[in-house]
Amino acid sequence: MSDLVAFEKWLLRNYAAASARKIRRDVQAIAAYGPIPPQSKRRQRAADYRWAWRLWADFCEAKGLRNTLPEPARAERQHGRQKRREKPALSLP
């Protein structure tokens, strides 16, 4: 993870400074704690982790580095509407 400074400079070409710092912190968190965000904000942070990982992968590809970070999984939906299932038609004799 010694390339994080170069990664942040690479991000600053296309993103605002605050966004670049946040993305760099997300990549650091993935490296330190793994690809699953903390339970308290798992669903909200999972999208941020996936976005940061994709940018890190693009950076590694552009610089010819090997991406060793595990890819974050999609967050499972815990709440929300479920798909409606069609009820089977009744067949009367």
Side-chain angles (χ1 to χ4, degrees), residues 13-66:
R13 290 186 221 143
N14 298 315
Y15 297 96
S19 296
R21 282 192 303 271
K22 182 184 180 312
I23 293 167
R24 181 184 50 84
R25 283 193 306 264
D26 286 344
V27 168
Q28 280 180 314
I30 293 170
Y33 303 111
I36 300 172
Q39 181 66 33
S40 61
K41 297 182 179 181
R42 180 165 291 166
R43 189 150 180 223
Q44 175 187 3
R45 298 287 295 147
D48 294 341
Y49 271 33
R50 284 194 314 274
W51 177 247
W53 184 86
R54 276 183 254 154
L55 289 171
W56 175 255
D58 289 345
F59 170 75
C60 288
E61 185 178 327
K63 298 295 181 181
L65 302 172
R66 184 170 174 238

Side-chain angles (χ1 to χ4, degrees), residues 70-90:
E71 183 174 359
R74 289 190 164 272
E76 295 179 18
R77 291 185 77 173
Q78 296 175 353
H79 302 288
R81 298 165 79 181
Q82 294 179 354
K83 289 185 177 180
R84 292 185 185 184
R85 295 184 182 154
E86 292 185 25
K87 294 181 181 177
L90 295 175

